[in-house]
Amino acid sequence: MKLSHRITHLNGGGSDGWDVFYRARRMIAEGQAVTELTIGEHDIRTHPSILAEMDRSARAGHTGYAMVPGTDLLRDTVAARVQTRTGVPTTRHNVLITPGGQAALYAAHMAACDPGDVGLYLDPFYATYPGTIRGAGAVARAVQTRAEDAFQPDAAMITEQAEGAASLLINTPNNPTGVVYSRETLTEIADLCRERNLWLISDEVYDTQIWDGAHLSPRALPGMADRTLVVGSMSKSHAMTGSRCGWIVGPEEAIEHLINLATHTTYGVPGFIQDAASYALTAGDELEEEVATPFRRRRALAMQVLARQNTVGLIPAQGAMYLMLDIRATGQSGEDFANALLDTHAIAVMPGESFGQAAAGHVRVAMTIDDDRFAAALQTLCEFAARLASQTAAE
Ligand code: PMP
C-alpha cells in the first residue's frame, strides 16, 4: 500500500548520524562495558516524593480521561511559574499541557505553519527538529550557526533564509551545544521575527539548567508575547523523561486552537502525571536543583580536564546537560573520531554531524555518568585526540 509522502519523508533521506549510538547499544547488549555519553537521559530517576504524589493521585481515582487542555491545577501552576520567571502576564488560558515537549514542538508548528510554509531552524539542532517541521506539513529549512561564533545565531544569516518562512524555531539553553543565547542574540532574533512577521517557537526545556548567567525567555522581549510559542517540559528539569508531560505557552487565541488540535490528536495527558507535575513545580527549588547540580559539577570537572591540554576545544557551555567538543585538530570528522573512540576505548559520544552540518568536526558529550568515570572518560578522550593529532601532523 502507498504510504503518505509526509510520513515516508520525515527524515529527509541520508544517514541520520546515529550509527555510533546504535553500535554502542549493540556492544552493551553483547555484554561489553561501554562508557555511554550519548543521549540526554539523566543518571538519576524521578524523585520519590514526585512518585508518591503520582501514586496518591492515581489511587484517588485520577486514572480516567483528564481535561484535554490540562488540569486547571497544572495550567495555573505553569502559568504562575512562567509569570514569576518572566514577568509576562500569563494565565491558564495561555497554557496547553502536552505529552512532553516533543508533542508541544509538533503542535506549535501545526499552529504556526500552513502546508508549504517554511519552518526555519538553526543548525546544529536537536535531532527531531527537521522531522517535526516536515511532519506538520511545512518545509524544514536550516540556517547555519558557526563554531567561530560559539554557535550564537546570526540574525542576518537567518534573514537571508527567511523567504517564505512562517516560523523560526530556537532552543536556549541549547542541545546539542550547551550554549545559552545572549540577550543581544535574542533581541536581534525578536526584531527579525517582528520585521518578517514570523512566529518564534522557543524551546526552553533546559531552562532550569544554567551554569553561567540567567535564562532569558524571548516571550518577555517587547512585542513578542503575541508571536511566541514557548515549549516547556518536566523531562529535563525534574528527571521525568518517561512521564511525558510538557506544555506550550502562547497567545490565548493560539492556545484555543491548539486545544482543538489536542482533542483530535493526543486527547490530553494522564491526570495522575499532571498532579505529580503540579506537585513537583510547587515543591520548591530543591527538586530541580538536585537534578541540575550533578551537571553543574561535571561541567566544572570537564573544564579542569580540558584546561590541561590543547588539542580538544570546548565550546563555551553555559547550560543544558551537554558539552560540544571541537576535535578538528585531529584532522578527523566527528563521525570518524566517535567511531574510533568507541573501537579503541569503548567510549561512546555523539558525532557533531548527527546534529547537522554546522557541528561537523565536533563531538557532543552528555554529562550523564558519575563524576569519576566522567572525568576519566574525558581524560582518555583528550589523550586519544592528542595521539591522533600528532599522527596527522607527522603525515
Ligand atoms: N527539545 C530538546 C532540545 C530536547 O533535547 C528534548 C529531549 N531530548 C526535547 C525537546 C523533548 O523532550 P520531551 O519530549 O521529553 O519533553
Side-chain angles (χ1 to χ4, degrees):
M1 276 302 289
K2 176 186 170 295
L3 288 163
S4 74
H5 184 274
R6 180 176 292 188
I7 203 166
T8 50
H9 288 74
L10 275 186
N11 287 341
S15 153
D16 62 6
W18 283 66
D19 307 356
V20 184
F21 170 73
Y22 291 120
R23 212 154 66 74
R25 283 287 154 106
R26 268 200 307 281
M27 287 165 70
I28 293 167
E30 285 159 10
Q32 289 191 55
V34 175
T35 305
E36 251 212 302
L37 304 171
T38 49
I39 60 170
E41 182 82 85
H42 312 69
D43 52 333
I44 56 171
R45 287 285 164 256
T46 309
H47 195 274
S49 67
I50 302 176
L51 298 180
E53 176 55 19
M54 217 180 269
D55 180 68
R56 188 208 58 73
S57 170
R59 286 177 196 279
H62 292 175
T63 52
Y65 290 123
M67 299 273 287
V68 170
T71 61
D72 288 350
L73 175 64
L74 183 54
R75 292 174 84 197
D76 287 346
T77 304
V78 170
R81 176 182 173 94
V82 166
Q83 182 166 318
T84 307
R85 293 183 174 211
T86 63
V88 184
T90 307
T91 73
R92 78 171 66 142
H93 302 292
N94 300 112
V95 180
L96 168 72
I97 305 302
T98 62
Q102 179 55 45
L105 285 167
Y106 174 72
H109 283 93
M110 287 291 280
C113 299
D114 271 319
D117 283 346
V118 170
L120 297 169
Y121 65 105
L122 300 169
D123 180 346
F125 52 87
Y126 170 50
T128 69
Y129 279 4
T132 303
I133 296 169
R134 288 188 202 107
V139 177
R141 184 182 293 159
V143 180
Q144 305 293 306
T145 60
R146 290 178 294 227
E148 290 64 35
D149 303 334
F151 295 116
Q152 293 275 338
D154 177 325
M157 285 172 74
I158 302 173
T159 305
E160 272 167 33
Q161 303 286 325
E163 188 62 41
S167 64
L168 167 64
L169 170 58
I170 63 168
N171 171 222
T172 179
N174 188 268
N175 176 13
T177 61
V179 167
V180 171
Y181 294 171
S182 67
R183 178 173 284 274
E184 295 71 53
T185 297
L186 288 170
T187 303
E188 281 179 25
I189 285 176
D191 290 347
L192 97 84
C193 286
R194 283 194 310 273
E195 276 157 29
R196 307 293 302 215
N197 197 24
L198 300 180
W199 280 99
L200 182 61
I201 301 176
S202 178
D203 179 343
E204 302 179 23
V205 303
Y206 293 100
D207 66 349
T208 59
Q209 298 177 359
I210 296 265
W211 324 130
D212 254 354
H215 174 67
L216 171 62
S217 173
R219 179 168 174 263
L221 293 172
M224 290 307 287
D226 291 344
R227 59 172 67 252
T228 305
L229 298 169
V230 175
V231 171
S233 172
M234 297 302 294
S235 288
K236 309 295 176 177
S237 60
H238 291 80
M240 290 178 69
T241 47
S243 289
R244 313 310 304 134
C245 188
W247 53 82
I248 300 182
V249 173
E252 281 188 26
E253 190 194 355
I255 295 298
E256 261 171 49
H257 290 289
L258 282 162
I259 292 169
N260 197 18
L261 176 68
T263 301
H264 295 93
T265 51
T266 61
Y267 214 79
V269 174
F272 55 94
I273 298 285
Q274 296 195 60
D275 282 347
S278 301
Y279 161 80
L281 292 173
T282 47
D285 290 346
E286 298 84 53
L287 284 180
E288 51 197 74
E289 266 309 307
E290 201 173 310
V291 175
T293 300
F295 302 129
R296 188 193 306 279
R297 230 178 27 232
R298 290 168 198 159
R299 181 245 191 190
L301 273 176
M303 288 173 76
Q304 283 169 23
V305 172
L306 286 154
R308 293 199 289 263
Q309 53 83 59
N310 49 23
T311 311
V312 177
L314 173 63
I315 300 297
Q318 299 134 310
M321 50 175 87
Y322 314 98
L323 301 173
M324 189 61 96
L325 303 181
D326 182 347
I327 51 92
R328 286 177 291 183
T330 64
Q332 298 217 341
S333 68
E335 205 156 350
D336 288 345
F337 181 86
N339 273 309
L341 185 67
L342 184 60
D343 290 334
T344 316
H345 293 291
I347 296 172
V349 297
M350 291 297 289
E353 292 84 0
S354 324
F355 309 103
Q357 293 163 22
H362 291 69
V363 293
R364 188 194 73 174
V365 171
M367 301 188 278
T368 47
I369 59 170
D370 68 76
D371 297 19
D372 291 347
R373 286 174 65 224
F374 179 68
L378 268 188
Q379 180 69 36
T380 305
L381 182 153
C382 289
E383 286 163 9
F384 181 65
R387 277 203 306 281
L388 287 177
S390 59
Q391 277 165 24
T392 310
E395 273 164 20

